Amino acid sequence: YFINYFNSVNCKITLTKKCPICYNYNKIWWFLTMIGIVIALQSEAKSLLNKIDELNPIPLADKHCYQGKINGYDVVVAISGIGKVSAGLTTQLLIDKFNPDFIINAGTCGGMDNSVQVLDYYIVDKACQFDFDLRELDNVPLGYIQEYNTVFFPTYTNGLDFMKKSSVASADRFTNCLSDINSILEMGCKLRDMEGGAIGQVCTSNNVKLVMIKGVTDVTGSKTAGEQFYQNLTTVCDGLADVIINVLITVAKDLCK
């Protein structure tokens, strides 16, 4: 390894590593402080990207990815695509390439009962995967993953008491069927999405703190989930940027090395 670039203002170092197999040089970016943000949809990220200083696209496999600054902190925003595999893959790519101090996952979600209000924003206090089911095989709870000895993956919530909090259950389907609703509620979750549980698993494996922010587009019991989602998507996404920035500034004081 050798340093081929140093910028003392941004505290950014670019290292060049020669691959012993193909003999190509691969750039790896390191920052003294770096915050990774994973968002599933470009539409969910649009309002945040408009508020990031010094915004530039950067390579991250086949993902849309952007580097810039929020309130002086270096950030990388990666657009994962929908679903647990895409979210987990993108989170691992981001961790491997940028070594972030912590990860923020932000996006939309559904509410599971009338205690959850459309257009509200939540800090997730733990995340699980309700479509991971080994109950018949191993007589374990729904969502239990043996390698981790848990159903739920932890998130960081310190200093965020000004936000509403709830748990999220994730699955690779946009669902509003009664059996799924009952399963999610029995697990003690009031929110559902398609990415959070997988991102929680990846962050736990890498010992990287995770902050999770969800804005509610639809709630079970009124209209169809799909109708509500498209009706409220733009409004929730427009407000998401300010929530992300507020939360980031609050937790960065403790989580940035």
Side-chain angles (χ1 to χ4, degrees), residues 143-188:
Y144 181 84
I145 302 178
Q146 284 91 329
E147 296 94 319
Y148 299 86
N149 192 31
T150 189
V151 171
F152 288 96
F153 295 100
T155 60
Y156 186 87
T157 63
N158 292 6
L160 299 174
D161 292 337
F162 58 89
M163 294 282 294
K164 294 183 177 181
K165 295 178 183 176
S166 188
S167 304
V168 71
S170 304
D172 275 322
R173 56 181 179 267
F174 187 94
T175 180
N176 203 30
C177 72
L178 184 59
S179 61
D180 282 344
I181 293 169
N182 290 337
S183 293
I184 293 168
L185 291 173
E186 287 169 6
M187 297 175 82

Side-chain angles (χ1 to χ4, degrees), residues 77-109:
V77 180
I79 311 302
S80 68
I82 297 172
K84 295 195 302 174
V85 174
S86 293
L89 168 66
T90 303
T91 303
Q92 189 64 60
L93 287 168
L94 194 153
I95 290 171
D96 288 345
K97 188 164 186 176
F98 298 102
N99 190 33
D101 294 272
F102 64 97
I103 296 284
I104 292 176
N105 168 232
T108 58
C109 72

